[in-house]
């Protein structure tokens, strides 16, 4: 994956505007120091970090691709779709994500209540404080649980309480893949199915392909060589674009993935750009 003497990019990175620990400036500084040509800022349900990244990127000579990561529901599975090159200043975009973030807040409160029924006391105010101006998510809740002494680690919080099959889990706002893809397209973005190897089943991937997705994220820290080969082949057969990224959360996510862990040759970004609608 690492091309010699070739420029490389990372097209999936979180910041403090969702559940990442780095500011947009820290992301850009790190990527620039590591020699990246471009990075995409792809927060969950927020485009608020993009401009800050772009300002510093311009000074440091690093291209910042605007992006966002949306969550969809496919037969009960939470499937993520990246919207790269989305028109992040469009009112339709900022207003939509403001709504989604509001529903994330209500969901976080529901999860706090479920935890309380299970005997785990965390303050919703503290969860909000940890999330700050970012889209609130389970990692913030997990951090509050660690602080409260209910669990010793973020992983334990997910395993025992807030993971997909755990007792305090609540689903997010329901969105069909077709709706997310249509929204991304209507706002000039390219839709890419994120980390396909993490859902444990390919029927959901075919559903998203049928819904009109443009690309597949084939390089990802949770993919091994076999998974990557498998999705490269699927992309080729279905004439889809391919992307990749670290999905860096700055150490908040288990596995501790950082910028630099995935390096995607620049030519894949070039191919992606050819697909962007103006
Ligand atoms: P949410 O969007 O609120 O459902 O939270 C999803 C986020 O939680 C993912 O993007 C990851 O950052 C994180 N996450 C999911 N599963 C785990 C896990 N088992 N351990 C730690 N973080 C996780
Ligand atoms: Zn996340
Ligand atoms: Fe994701
Ligand atoms: Fe992500």
């Amino acid at each position: 994956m690492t091309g010699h003497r070739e420029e490389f990019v990372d097209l999936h990175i979180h910041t403090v505007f969702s559940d990442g620990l780095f500011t947009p400036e820290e992301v850009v500084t790190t990527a620039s120091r590591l020699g990246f040509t471009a990075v995409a800022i792809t927060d969950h349900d927020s485009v608020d970090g993009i401009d800050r990244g772009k300002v510093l990127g311009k000074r440091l000579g690093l291209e910042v691709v605007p992006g966002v990561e949306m969550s969809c529901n496919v037969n009960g599975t939470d499937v993520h779709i990246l919207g790269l090159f989305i028109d992040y200043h469009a009112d339709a975009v900022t207003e939509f994500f403001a709504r989604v973030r509001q529903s994330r807040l209500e969901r976080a409160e529901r999860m706090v209540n479920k935890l309380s029924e299970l005997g785990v006391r965390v303050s919703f105010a503290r969860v909000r404080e940890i999330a700050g101006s970012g889209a609130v998510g389970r990692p913030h809740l997990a951090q509050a649980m660690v602080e409260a002494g209910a669990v010793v680690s973020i992983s334990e919080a997910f395993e025992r309480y807030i993971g997909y099959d755990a007792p305090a889990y609540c689903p997010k706002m329901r969105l069909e893949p077709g709706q997310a893809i249509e929204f991304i397209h209507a706002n000039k973005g390219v839709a890419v199915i994120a980390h396909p190897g993490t859902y444990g089943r390919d029927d959901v991937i075919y559903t998203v392909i049928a819904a009109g997705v443009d690309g597949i994220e084939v390089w990802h820290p949770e993919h091994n060589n076999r998974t990557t080969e498998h999705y490269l082949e699927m992309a080729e057969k279905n004439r889809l674009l391919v992307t990749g990224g670290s999905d860096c959360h700055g150490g908040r996510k288990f596995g501790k993935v950082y910028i630099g862990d995935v390096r995607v040759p620049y030519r894949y970004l070039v191919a992606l750009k050819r697909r962007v609608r103006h």
Side-chain angles (χ1 to χ4, degrees), residues 14 18-20 44 69 80 139 247 249 253:
H14 294 268
S18 61
D19 51 3
H44 300 283
E69 183 169 22
H80 296 174
D247 203 358
H249 284 69
K253 210 168 169 180

Side-chain angles (χ1 to χ4, degrees), residues 159-173:
E159 270 160 41
R160 290 182 54 195
Y161 296 106
I162 59 172
Y164 290 115
D165 300 313
Y169 176 76
C170 288
K172 282 169 285 190
M173 189 178 109

